[in-house]
Amino acid sequence: MIEFIQIVLLVTVWNLGVEIVLEEDMALHKLRLWAESKSSRIFEPLIICIWCRPSIHSLFGFGAAVGLGWINLMSWHNLILYPFVVAGASFISGTAWSFYKLIEIKYNYLTHKEQNEYFDLKDRKSNHHKNKQS
């Protein structure tokens, strides 16, 4: 059970890291734009979709777990564990990224709203002084 949690967390961290590197103004954003422009469905789990990415990228997690000595490479236990790791990592990384995006959207909305209110107050104050002087 501990192996499962460790591998899921490892794949989740990997998946979130790849998503961050593929974001706008980051190192591999042009690769993401190129993949999105193609009509091939192979780029969906490789590059584009954070929910789909663990289906292929969890192989890196299993490779790292073997390298770290957490699991044995030649074990039937890994074949049973693999679909659960994919599902767990997909759920955790997709949910974490969705919450992050929601927080980012709310922050940008509230910041923009506060700026607009500030400028509205500034305009009303200047208009009030102009009306007073007339």
Side-chain angles (χ1 to χ4, degrees):
M1 186 64 172
I2 298 297
E3 297 167 346
F4 170 71
I5 293 170
Q6 289 174 332
I7 296 171
V8 167
L9 290 178
L10 191 65
V11 173
T12 299
V13 168
W14 171 269
N15 194 18
L16 290 172
V18 169
E19 184 66 26
I20 290 168
V21 171
L22 291 170
E23 276 296 296
E24 192 173 347
D25 297 331
M26 296 304 254
L28 297 178
H29 183 64
K30 289 183 182 179
L31 176 66
R32 181 186 205 116
L33 293 176
W34 175 80
E36 287 175 348
S37 70
K38 300 297 176 192
S39 62
S40 178
R41 299 287 296 173
I42 190 65
F43 295 117
E44 193 81 19
L46 275 176
I47 298 170
I48 299 170
C49 177
I50 191 166
W51 295 89
C52 311
R53 199 175 300 125
S55 62
I56 294 176
H57 285 255
S58 59
L59 294 173
F60 296 114
F62 270 94
V66 168
L68 292 169
W70 294 349
I71 59 173
N72 185 7
L73 180 61
M74 299 297 186
S75 174
W76 63 271
H77 178 50
N78 296 340
L79 291 175
I80 295 171
L81 196 62
Y82 184 76
F84 296 106
V85 168
V86 170
S90 177
F91 175 75
I92 293 172
S93 59
T95 304
W97 193 254
S98 297
F99 280 136
Y100 165 73
K101 283 301 198 181
L102 179 67
I103 291 168
E104 183 182 42
I105 289 168
K106 288 291 189 180
Y107 173 77
N108 289 338
Y109 170 74
L110 292 174
T111 303
H112 184 69
K113 185 176 177 181
E114 288 174 3
Q115 288 173 350
N116 284 342
E117 287 175 358
Y118 170 76
F119 290 125
D120 286 345
L121 288 173
K122 191 176 176 182
D123 289 341
R124 282 191 281 165
K125 186 176 179 182
S126 66
N127 288 340
H128 178 70
H129 287 299
K130 286 178 187 177
N131 290 340
K132 242 179 151 179
Q133 293 172 357
S134 316

